[in-house]
Amino acid sequence: MILSMPLATNPYDIHIGKNLMAQLKMLIKKVYEGSKIYVITDQTVFNYHQEYLLKRLVDFEVEVVVVAPGETSKSFEVFEQVVDELIEKGIKRGHLILAFGGGVIGDLAGFVSATLYRGIDYIQIPTSLLAMVDASIGGKTGINTNKGKNLVGSFYQPKMVIIDTLLLRTLDKIEYQNGMAEVIKSAFIGDASLANQLLVSPVSEDEMIKRTIEVKRRYVLLDEFDRKERMYLNFGHTFGHAIERKSNYHIKHGFAVAVGMVIACDVGIKLGITSQETKEKLVALLKKYGLDKTVVNPNNYINEVFFDKKNINDILNMIFITDIGCPMISQIKKEDFNGCFN
Ligand SMILES: NC(=O)c1ccc[n+]([C@@H]2O[C@H](COP(=O)([O-])OP(=O)(O)OC[C@H]3O[C@@H](n4cnc5c(N)ncnc54)[C@H](O)[C@@H]3O)[C@@H](O)[C@H]2O)c1
């Protein structure tokens, strides 16, 4: 399956399928004529898949930069280490970077690609479900600071995204659930029939991934730089990011977003935007995928959410759903949360 991303200045294709790595050389050659490739990956992904990857790259001269797995690698320190190692290994502006890993690697390697020598071409090869359905799509790259997640970054589109769903076979259950939260989010903001199907019957993995990407793709094409419709993808993220950050990233992104979506429904119900029935369907779906176990008191996060980089003058752009598949943005002040979570 190929989905195109026909952005005005940086169009590219998203390839989705099982064992796509078998075609890796042919796919790379569509966008890159050079011979030198720099892979950025994390230790866990590399341990599992180095052979699967490297035997497909034998015709290229390959250098690999490996970082520790996990969110801590999205830091200034690791960014600098990676840049230094790439330079030591001879990277030039005309070379190609492969971001081979989960969302952390996608964001970090994407940001390195965006900034080193003011821009090097890169390909996203996401290996976690979350990265396949979300992080690798749409060109947002970045790292965290002590003040919050993704505060430093850039929009920098890849030359191609290659999603080989066979890579998911080594992903552990928790990480799979983590990605399912973004699948459910996308269904709730843009594909009601996927949400309903997921509730009642199994959907094939490749089909589910493709349809989830289609939701994101639609919003990215409408609004590449996140001024309006793309913000719908932040459903659940207002509180999600705050929960993730306050837990020092012990609560994983997807699990935090799952609670964040329920909180957004609660606020939406209070404001007359969301129906109780919509919230119940969301909760049922989260429960089906084991994403209903994180319990937090939303009142403890209200100050935290106003730190978000997208807030202007203490007004929060928060995403709600009026119905399954129908998102809206509303501007929220602190007082609007009064009485929401008693
Ligand atoms: N750029 C965007 O648009 C965007 C969107 C959503 C999330 N994100 C970012 O993505 C990050 C989260 O992504 P993530 O959940 O993939 O985290 P991650 O990259 O840390 O991966 C999660 C864990 O799974 C392991 N892993 C990945 N693929 C594997 C595989 N195939 N087999 C075995 N283990 C594997 C990793 O080593 C890691 O330990 C966050 O930093 C978040 O901010 C970015």
Side-chain angles (χ1 to χ4, degrees):
M1 287 179 257
I2 303 176
L3 294 174
S4 63
M5 186 68 97
L7 292 163
T9 48
N10 298 295
Y12 59 93
D13 286 336
I14 302 162
H15 298 259
I16 308 161
K18 289 218 163 13
N19 199 21
L20 264 191
M21 297 295 270
Q23 302 168 39
L24 188 60
K25 178 180 153 195
M26 181 273 290
L27 290 172
I28 290 174
K29 293 244 175 229
K30 281 177 190 268
V31 294
Y32 181 59
E33 290 175 350
S35 59
K36 195 112 196 215
I37 286 181
Y38 291 78
V39 176
I40 302 176
T41 188
D42 78 29
Q43 193 65 63
T44 306
V45 172
F46 195 55
N47 288 349
Y48 277 120
H49 297 296
Q50 56 180 302
E51 210 190 309
Y52 192 55
L53 174 75
L54 295 179
K55 76 176 178 202
R56 270 63 194 233
L57 295 176
V58 284
D59 292 337
F60 298 95
E61 226 181 302
V62 181
E63 297 282 0
V64 185
V65 175
V66 184
V67 303
E71 193 67 35
T72 48
S73 283
K74 265 176 63 173
S75 64
F76 276 111
E77 199 188 350
V78 176
F79 167 79
E80 194 180 4
Q81 282 165 13
V82 170
V83 164
D84 285 349
E85 194 173 332
L86 288 169
I87 293 170
E88 278 158 22
K89 287 181 164 162
I91 195 164
K92 299 284 178 285
R93 202 174 183 184
H95 289 152
L96 181 75
I97 288 176
L98 300 186
F100 185 62
V104 163
I105 290 299
D107 282 8
L108 172 71
F111 188 55
V112 168
S113 305
T115 48
L116 180 58
Y117 306 141
R118 298 196 178 82
I120 296 177
D121 286 350
Y122 77 115
I123 291 179
Q124 289 276 13
I125 309 180
T127 61
S128 68
L129 179 60
L130 188 141
M132 289 181 185
V133 298
D134 192 355
S136 67
I137 310 296
K140 272 194 193 175
T141 73
I143 54 176
N144 306 325
T145 82
N146 293 335
K147 297 287 181 203
K149 262 179 73 81
N150 304 325
L151 293 185
V152 174
S154 75
F155 290 92
Y156 191 64
Q157 300 293 342
K159 287 288 157 200
M160 180 179 275
V161 182
I162 301 171
I163 298 177
D164 180 348
T165 52
L166 261 193
L167 290 164
L168 291 174
R169 297 291 70 86
T170 54
L171 193 67
D172 71 30
K173 188 174 168 224
I174 298 274
E175 293 301 342
Y176 200 90
Q177 288 173 298
N178 196 33
M180 278 308 299
E182 296 288 0
V183 171
I184 293 168
K185 176 207 77 181
S186 292
F188 267 73
I189 60 163
D191 189 342
S193 86
L194 177 61
N196 288 321
Q197 260 178 280
L198 286 170
L199 262 173
V200 294
S201 59
V203 182
S204 91
E205 191 174 64
D206 286 15
E207 173 70 12
M208 176 185 86
I209 289 171
K210 182 187 126 235
R211 284 173 66 180
T212 305
I213 292 170
E214 276 173 337
V215 172
K216 181 155 187 184
R217 175 179 165 273
R218 198 164 72 229
Y219 291 130
V220 170
L221 288 176
L222 282 170
D223 172 28
E224 182 181 356
F225 297 109
D226 207 9
R227 307 263 179 239
K228 204 175 165 209
E229 292 89 346
R230 188 169 178 167
M231 288 191 200
Y232 295 151
L233 293 154
N234 287 332
F235 177 50
H237 285 57
T238 305
F239 276 82
H241 275 162
I243 292 165
E244 204 183 352
R245 186 164 64 240
K246 239 187 157 180
S247 79
N248 220 0
Y249 303 106
H250 290 303
I251 299 178
K252 288 191 170 291
H253 184 74
F255 288 80
V257 167
V259 198
M261 290 191 281
V262 177
I263 295 173
C265 283
D266 284 335
V267 181
I269 291 168
K270 161 88 184 344
L271 298 176
I273 298 169
T274 308
S275 70
Q276 188 67 32
E277 191 193 348
T278 300
K279 178 191 161 182
E280 278 163 18
K281 279 199 171 167
L282 172 68
V283 171
L285 197 49
L286 294 175
K287 194 167 181 184
K288 185 168 170 184
Y289 289 96
L291 286 158
D292 60 331
K293 307 278 190 306
T294 315
V295 180
V296 300
N297 179 351
N299 288 313
N300 295 341
Y301 296 87
I302 293 173
N303 285 334
E304 196 78 10
V305 297
F306 281 90
F307 270 116
D308 197 285
K309 63 182 176 294
K310 294 178 195 87
N311 304 330
I312 303 159
N313 297 335
D314 272 352
I315 292 174
L316 193 68
N317 277 319
M318 190 156 164
I319 313 304
F320 297 98
I321 38 174
T322 57
D323 200 351
I324 302 178
C326 305
M328 66 167 277
I329 297 183
S330 193
Q331 297 205 317
I332 299 291
K333 295 197 230 57
K334 260 190 194 169
E335 307 85 86
D336 293 321
F337 291 122
N338 291 344
C340 277
F341 316 115
N342 295 329

